[in-house]
Each structure stands twice: as C-alpha cells, then as structure tokens.
Amino acid sequence: MSTMGSSLCAAALLAFLVFSLSLFVNSWHFRDHKGIFTNGTIEDGFVMERNGLVRELNERRKEILPFLISSGVKRLLDESGHFGQHKSFESKHLDVSLENESDVSSGFIRMNKDHIGCDQLVDMKAVHILGSGYTKIVLKVLLSEGQSVALKTVYDQGTDMGRCLEDFKDPVGCYELVSFKLKKEIVLLQRLQHPNIIKLRGHCDDSVGAGGITAILEQGFPLQMIQLLQSPWEERFRVCLGLVRLLHYLSHSPLGSVALLDFQPRQFVMVSGELKLTDLDDASVTEPACQMDQDCILQFPLRNFSLPCSAQGVCEGLNEMRNLYNAYRYFFTYLLPHQAPPALRHLVDQIMNSTGELKGDVNDTLEAFEDMFHLYKSGLHLDNMPSSIIRDYAVMKGMSTSGNMEYRCWPSYNHQGCMLSVHSDKEAAFICNSLPQCTSFSLSDQRTWTGRLLASFQSGFSHLVTDGNSEVYLKKTKASPGTMV
C-alpha cells in the first residue's frame, strides 16, 4: 500500500479528535467574543441547547442501562436513582466507562486473556477503510505482530455527528452522545456471543492513543449480495442456515428476545464463508408494550402481521416475528429457491411459504433448515438416483487430466470452468449426463464446508497425468482410443 494510502487511513482514524478539538475551541471563542453571558437571548439559546443535549444523553444512558444491569453493572444511577449530569460540562468522564473493571461482570471481555486493548494499538498500521455509516467508520489495521483486525470508531463526518453539531453546537458533548451507540454495541457484543455474531477482540477508550472509544473486531468483509447471488446454491444455503441459527439464538438470548430494528444486508459481514452480524447498535431487547391487540401490529411495506396483546401488556413474540420476516424478504427470497437441488425443492418451498406468511416461529424454521441440511449433507435426498448410472463411466484412479477443454457452467466454484459440489461419484455421473458438453469429470480430495466433494467437469482433455489425490471418470460411449476426448 502506498504511503499516501496509509496516511489517509490513519487520518480517517484520528480525524474526529482534531475535528472535535478545533470546533470546541472555535465555538467557545465565538461565545466569548459575542457576549454569550451578557446577552439574555443568546444565553437562553445556549441553555436550551445544553438542556436538549443533556436529555439526549440521558436517553442514551437509559438505552444502555438494561444491558449493564443484566450484567451486574449498576453504577450508572446515582444514589437518588436518577441519571447523573452531563459530564462534558464538568470536565469529567461519563459514568459509562467500559474501562472500569468494577463495571464489568466476570463474563466481559476484559476478563479474557486474549483481550486486545489500547497498548496493542500504539504501533498499528492502517490498511484501508472497510466501510462507514451514519455513526461509525470501520478500518482494517495491522497490529505490530502482524495480526489483522477491524477497528470501529465514531465517524466524525457521519450524519449523526453532523446533525448533533447543527442542533447543539457542542463538539465534545456531541462526540459523547454519538459514541453511546458504539458503547452499546460493545456491551452487546460482550453479552451476545454466537458463531454468527462478529467476535469482539477487545476495545479501547483512550482519546490520546486511539482516538476515543474504539471497538476491536475480528476482520470480516462487507456482504456483497450481487456476488452472493452468483455463488453456488450450497454457499447461499450456508448463509441462510447461519442466519436462522442466529435468529434462534437472538430469540432465546441471555438478554431476552432481541429484535434487529435496522435489519439490512449491510449489517452483516462474511468471515471465512460464514455470515456474521456486525452492527448491534439498533438492537432492542424489549418487546413492545400494548393495551390492545391493535398495538401489536407489525408493519412492512407490502403487508402487515398482528399478534394478540398478552395479559401482561406485552406484544410477546413480535421481536421474533420481525426478525424472521426480514430474513425472508432480504435473504431467503433471493438466495434460497434459485437452483436448489431438485430433490430438496419441496422443502425449500415449504420454508418460503412458512416464513413468507409467518405460519411458524423461529423454532419451526430452524428445525426445517436443519432437516434439509442433514439430507443434503448425508446425500439421503439422492436415494432415488439409480446406482447403475456410474457403470457408464470408466474410472482411472490416481490420475488427473491435462490439456483440458474447459467449458463454463453456472454457478461454479471455478469461474473459468465447471466445478460443482457432489455427494458421490454417482451424483457427479448424473450431473455429467445432464450436461451435453460433458465427456468426463474428475474428483479430488477437495471438499466444501458440508464435506461434499468438488467435481470438475470437462468436454475433453489431451492426456492423463499421475495424481494420487484424483480420480478421472470417462464416459465409455465417448471414449475414442488414440484421439483427444
């Protein structure tokens, strides 16, 4: 990476510190010279702005409080049971300090011996920006030992910061306000741990070393739906299966039923082929309160759903319904039906119908996915395939092909050829018979995440070469000794 690129990334990581300090100095310089404390109108305006910011801060504290209390963290409240004053006006730190070990239960990340803190960020090298949003910016960095991680910090040029500065004109207070979303996310990542939730590697709250509050995450790559749509069905199924497992966990989490209020593909990343939730700042662990059934209506652009109001005055199950239908309309609809294995299409149709109409809950959906996964992985869905189909092929073990006459099929694991996953040589033979160009296929020891084999299909090759990890299957009717096949 060029020196200029590194400098730009580093500048993006630390920009908000310079930005905040300069605006802070300028704003107070303006107030001192314009007589803010002698002109009643200007002073009243300032007081109103400050009180408005205090209210916003207290609302953010209330939002985080349930997660902290569930972890045994209660010092946010003062002795009278009220929230403390806005600390940025008193030159003190907020009560919500994630660095204070007295605030952290035994399950929090600070108790993890592998925790990455501020010290490890001192000699980091910025690589590039992974993404940014209204509130936060994410950068890929290399730590001094060469480890690659993602840093998530407050985005000083983001919409949330800009709106706050416009409303309250207090850079320090606005940074404090906007950072609450990131603090909430850190707490949730500490409390909610699942294979399909991004792993929190650590955090840093050091305005000198790393520039304010920073979450240190395992590195993922933004979910690219267009690329995913072009991938084999097995990989798309993996994403959907991981998502359902995640939603099942969120419905029965240690914090209660968790709703993802901003459920969008952009809230997820891919890590080694696995879908992982990375944005939790808009998550809610409270089911909506209600007084009548009409209060429990779940509205979507094209249709609505409703639940009865419980005797406890809560829309029980609404969080789960919201998550499940969003999974259907953003993921299942695009990823699941297209090119599903013929023997599994009836199961796919059942899942699509159940989730699209919310006829079942997340437990039913997970069971349906796991049943389909078992059938696909074990090959039981291929029981009706005739075993005699493999007799049409001559097998040459310990060999591979060279000088291949490649042709493309879609979707393929190899974009320059035709490579598909199969359960056995019998399924590979069935596929080859269905492809007009196919005269042979090869099986190697390469396997997919399900344990299925990868088969390469060819329309011909020039000669065979020795390969102890490969087998070549040649159609007997296409074989012609002494000529290229």
Side-chain angles (χ1 to χ4, degrees):
M1 181 176 180
S2 67
T3 303
M4 179 178 293
S6 298
S7 300
L8 288 174
C9 292
L13 181 63
L14 300 174
F16 71 87
L17 179 60
V18 178
F19 176 75
S20 297
L21 289 175
S22 61
L23 281 182
F24 179 78
V25 172
N26 290 338
S27 63
W28 279 102
H29 179 78
F30 172 82
R31 289 170 178 169
D32 286 344
H33 285 80
K34 294 297 182 181
I36 190 168
F37 298 112
T38 60
N39 186 311
T41 302
I42 299 177
E43 182 179 1
D44 290 344
F46 168 64
V47 171
M48 290 179 63
E49 289 174 359
R50 192 181 78 164
N51 289 341
L53 185 53
V54 169
R55 284 193 298 271
E56 292 278 349
L57 283 164
N58 282 337
E59 287 300 317
R60 295 297 177 271
R61 288 171 176 154
K62 290 178 184 178
E63 196 175 328
I64 293 183
L65 186 61
F67 312 130
L68 299 180
I69 288 180
S70 67
S71 309
V73 184
K74 300 182 180 180
R75 72 184 286 271
L76 273 175
L77 294 174
D78 58 26
E79 294 180 358
S80 63
H82 296 90
F83 285 88
Q85 295 300 309
H86 175 23
K87 299 301 179 181
S88 71
F89 297 113
E90 302 174 9
S91 300
K92 297 179 182 178
H93 294 294
L94 272 173
D95 293 292
V96 190
S97 173
L98 297 176
E99 289 297 316
N100 192 330
E101 288 196 9
S102 66
D103 288 353
V104 184
S105 69
S106 60
F108 269 32
I109 195 72
R110 282 189 60 82
M111 306 304 292
N112 188 335
K113 61 182 178 62
D114 297 324
H115 168 76
I116 299 175
C118 300
D119 292 343
Q120 287 93 327
L121 301 183
V122 174
D123 296 322
M124 66 181 179
K125 178 182 178 182
V127 179
H128 59 255
I129 296 174
L130 293 173
S132 63
Y134 289 165
T135 308
K136 295 157 291 186
I137 186 169
V138 185
L139 300 100
K140 176 182 177 179
V141 303
L142 291 176
L143 303 182
S144 57
E145 63 271 23
Q147 185 179 178
S148 177
V149 296
L151 293 191
K152 183 181 288 189
T153 189
V154 172
Y155 187 25
D156 66 288
Q157 301 296 322
T159 301
D160 285 352
M161 179 66 83
R163 185 183 296 120
C164 181
L165 290 172
E166 183 178 346
D167 291 343
F168 304 119
K169 301 175 180 62
D170 181 351
V172 175
C174 282
Y175 175 78
E176 199 169 286
L177 177 65
V178 174
S179 68
F180 261 97
K181 279 195 171 184
L182 185 53
K183 291 180 180 180
K184 174 186 174 183
E185 191 163 273
I186 291 173
V187 172
L188 284 174
L189 288 173
Q190 291 169 335
R191 296 286 291 142
L192 301 174
Q193 298 184 23
H194 184 269
N196 295 104
I197 297 178
I198 201 75
K199 184 178 179 182
L200 180 68
R201 304 294 307 278
H203 67 268
C204 174
D205 193 356
D206 176 15
S207 60
V208 177
I213 185 74
T214 302
I216 306 165
L217 311 169
E218 67 175 324
Q219 187 196 336
F221 297 93
L223 180 65
Q224 302 290 342
M225 286 298 289
I226 294 179
Q227 180 179 341
L228 196 55
L229 288 169
Q230 298 172 345
S231 64
W233 181 85
E234 185 173 324
E235 301 306 313
R236 288 180 272 127
F237 175 75
R238 181 182 188 181
V239 168
C240 294
L241 176 63
L243 180 58
V244 173
R245 288 172 173 171
L246 169 64
L247 298 189
H248 181 268
Y249 170 78
L250 293 179
S251 293
H252 306 86
S253 83
L255 300 175
S257 181
V258 179
L260 303 178
L261 300 181
D262 186 19
F263 197 117
Q264 299 277 349
R266 64 173 177 264
Q267 309 297 334
F268 297 85
V269 297
M270 299 297 293
V271 180
S272 301
E274 198 74 57
L275 182 77
K276 296 204 177 192
L277 176 63
T278 187
D279 273 340
L280 282 165
D281 57 344
D282 289 313
S284 172
V285 298
T286 305
E287 297 271 27
C290 60
Q291 295 181 343
M292 58 186 71
D293 291 351
Q294 287 79 359
D295 297 329
C296 298
I297 296 178
L298 193 57
Q299 296 181 325
F300 293 98
L302 298 180
R303 62 174 310 169
N304 299 332
F305 300 94
S306 62
L307 281 177
C309 180
S310 70
Q312 293 74 34
V314 176
C315 302
E316 293 182 359
L318 202 67
N319 285 352
E320 179 180 306
M321 288 178 62
R322 180 192 300 274
N323 289 343
L324 192 56
Y325 190 73
N326 276 326
Y328 162 80
R329 69 190 187 116
Y330 284 118
F331 286 88
F332 301 165
T333 298
Y334 301 103
L335 303 180
L336 204 55
H338 185 57
Q339 292 196 331
L344 298 178
R345 284 175 186 165
H346 69 289
L347 299 178
V348 171
D349 291 340
Q350 290 173 13
I351 289 175
M352 297 301 293
N353 183 50
S354 176
T355 55
E357 299 295 329
L358 289 182
K359 294 179 179 179
D361 59 18
V362 73
N363 294 335
D364 299 327
T365 307
L366 178 62
E367 183 179 356
F369 266 90
E370 294 291 1
D371 287 346
M372 186 161 59
F373 176 52
H374 172 69
L375 289 174
Y376 183 70
K377 182 178 180 179
S378 64
L380 291 174
H381 65 300
L382 303 172
D383 281 350
N384 293 330
M385 187 174 294
S387 58
S388 60
I389 194 171
I390 196 66
R391 298 174 187 169
D392 297 333
Y393 290 81
V395 58
M396 288 155 279
K397 296 185 177 182
M399 307 294 288
S400 64
T401 59
S402 181
N404 296 337
M405 297 172 61
E406 301 284 2
Y407 68 93
R408 297 181 182 181
C409 62
W410 186 87
S412 169
Y413 282 91
N414 177 4
H415 296 304
Q416 303 304 316
C418 185
M419 180 181 287
L420 305 173
S421 86
V422 297
H423 176 260
S424 63
D425 55 358
K426 184 171 68 174
E427 184 181 6
F430 178 83
I431 294 174
C432 188
N433 285 352
S434 68
L435 299 172
Q437 309 97 315
C438 184
T439 62
S440 64
F441 63 88
S442 302
L443 294 178
S444 68
D445 57 358
Q446 288 183 283
R447 295 181 181 269
T448 67
W449 66 279
T450 62
R452 286 165 58 91
L453 297 164
L454 283 178
S456 295
F457 299 88
Q458 298 100 20
S459 59
F461 58 88
S462 61
H463 60 279
L464 296 171
V465 295
T466 303
D467 186 343
N469 298 317
S470 176
E471 298 175 349
V472 176
Y473 293 75
L474 181 65
K475 273 186 181 179
K476 294 178 180 178
T477 55
K478 296 289 184 178
S480 179
T483 62
M484 176 180 285
V485 296

